[in-house]
Amino acid sequence: MKTFVPVLLTAIALATPGLAQQAMDHSAHGDMAQMDHSAHGDMAMSEAQPGDTPATTAYREAMAEMHTNMEVEYSNDADVDFMRGMIPHHQGAIDMARIVLEHGSNPEVRTLAEEVIAAQEAEIEMMEAWLAEHDG
């Protein structure tokens, strides 16, 4: 494993020098840099990019909203916190499925999207009912 990272960074350096330098800079700073890099990655993923299709723009917006909504207030009750976090996670899946239904064309993907919507909506209803009983 110790040799894998330098080999990977070398391969990246050959393919994309700027990206490899950024990766090496972050790896040299330990866990805190990794957390900062993740935050930047999330931000960059949600920002519109030149050439984005309407579907990609919609996916970026849906993912950004899901991540924002998953920042729940923790109760120190693992069960409650799971339910609180999973509701926006499931809603994000529903939102993404609706995007593919609007923009996608593959019949298998469209069928899966419809199944995801039905399943996730049912699970959200169950989780909301559970929270109403247990979250006071």
Side-chain angles (χ1 to χ4, degrees):
M1 185 63 151
K2 288 183 180 183
T3 59
F4 176 74
V5 173
V7 170
L8 178 61
L9 291 175
T10 302
I12 292 171
L14 293 172
T16 54
L19 181 60
Q21 183 59 48
Q22 184 180 18
M24 286 187 280
D25 290 346
H26 283 296
S27 68
H29 297 295
D31 291 339
M32 193 56 131
Q34 191 63 28
M35 288 173 32
D36 290 343
H37 179 67
S38 294
H40 288 295
D42 290 345
M43 188 182 308
M45 287 176 54
S46 66
E47 294 175 3
Q49 301 294 313
D52 278 356
T53 65
T56 299
T57 299
Y59 284 131
R60 288 182 192 283
E61 292 170 358
M63 292 294 284
E65 182 176 347
M66 178 186 71
H67 287 136
T68 296
N69 292 340
M70 286 177 63
E71 291 294 324
V72 298
E73 182 178 332
Y74 291 105
S75 67
N76 290 319
D77 180 318
D79 299 324
V80 169
D81 294 343
F82 174 78
M83 295 295 201
R84 286 181 181 172
M86 287 305 292
I87 291 170
H89 185 266
H90 279 36
Q91 185 61 54
I94 292 167
D95 295 344
M96 291 176 64
R98 288 186 176 138
I99 293 165
V100 80
L101 289 175
E102 182 177 346
H103 299 281
S105 59
N106 184 289
E108 289 177 296
V109 175
R110 294 177 63 80
T111 298
L112 177 61
E114 291 168 349
E115 292 170 0
V116 164
I117 291 169
Q120 301 294 321
E121 284 178 341
E123 289 183 14
I124 287 173
E125 286 181 31
M126 184 278 299
M127 289 184 277
E128 288 174 340
W130 188 93
L131 280 170
E133 270 186 45
H134 297 88
D135 195 21

